[in-house]
Amino acid sequence: MSQTGVDPFAIEQQAIEQIKTVFDPEIPVNIWELGLIYGVEVSPEGRVTVKMTLTSPMCPSAQELPLEVEQKVRSVGGVTDAKVDIVWEPMWTKDMMSDVARLKLGFF
């Protein structure tokens, strides 16, 4: 626990649980299982930065998904600020999906 009373680990875990409720509208799997989240960092002051990518630069949900992630993360207790950074390195591939996502989408 930080001196500000914020538990960054607990916030990170709760933020991940919220992120798991975000779905790409074209794919029936949440963005965490799809492997679109590259990192969740929580500062001792409760600021959260999420690094995420999209399945493609031309993703039709490119505007909505990051905003939804930011809103969900902001809803976590102890979060004082949240931002989503879209990154393109490394480029997303199907290999980044979890086993759960692969099974659901029939990639085994």
Side-chain angles (χ1 to χ4, degrees):
M1 183 130 6
S2 73
Q3 292 178 348
T4 60
V6 171
D7 182 349
F9 179 75
I11 290 174
E12 177 185 358
Q13 295 308 303
Q14 292 172 32
I16 290 169
E17 289 306 311
Q18 287 298 311
I19 290 167
K20 287 180 178 180
T21 68
V22 178
F23 286 77
D24 184 314
E26 297 179 344
I27 305 170
V29 176
N30 72 64
I31 64 172
W32 180 265
E33 298 296 340
L34 281 175
L36 298 180
I37 304 300
Y38 289 172
V40 177
E41 297 176 10
V42 182
S43 76
E45 298 79 30
R47 289 188 301 274
V48 179
T49 302
V50 177
K51 289 190 181 179
M52 74 175 283
T53 194
L54 301 167
T55 54
S56 108
M58 304 307 289
C59 175
S61 301
Q63 299 298 317
E64 296 87 19
L65 285 176
L67 286 174
E68 186 176 355
V69 169
E70 184 179 312
Q71 290 170 346
K72 298 272 181 147
V73 170
R74 284 183 187 275
S75 75
V76 172
V79 171
T80 58
D81 191 23
K83 81 174 186 172
V84 175
D85 291 332
I86 300 295
V87 297
W88 299 106
E89 294 290 329
M91 187 65 116
W92 181 85
T93 67
K94 292 176 185 171
D95 294 335
M96 295 174 167
M97 291 190 294
S98 71
D99 289 345
V100 170
R102 288 187 195 142
L103 279 171
K104 185 153 188 152
L105 296 173
F107 285 126
F108 274 108

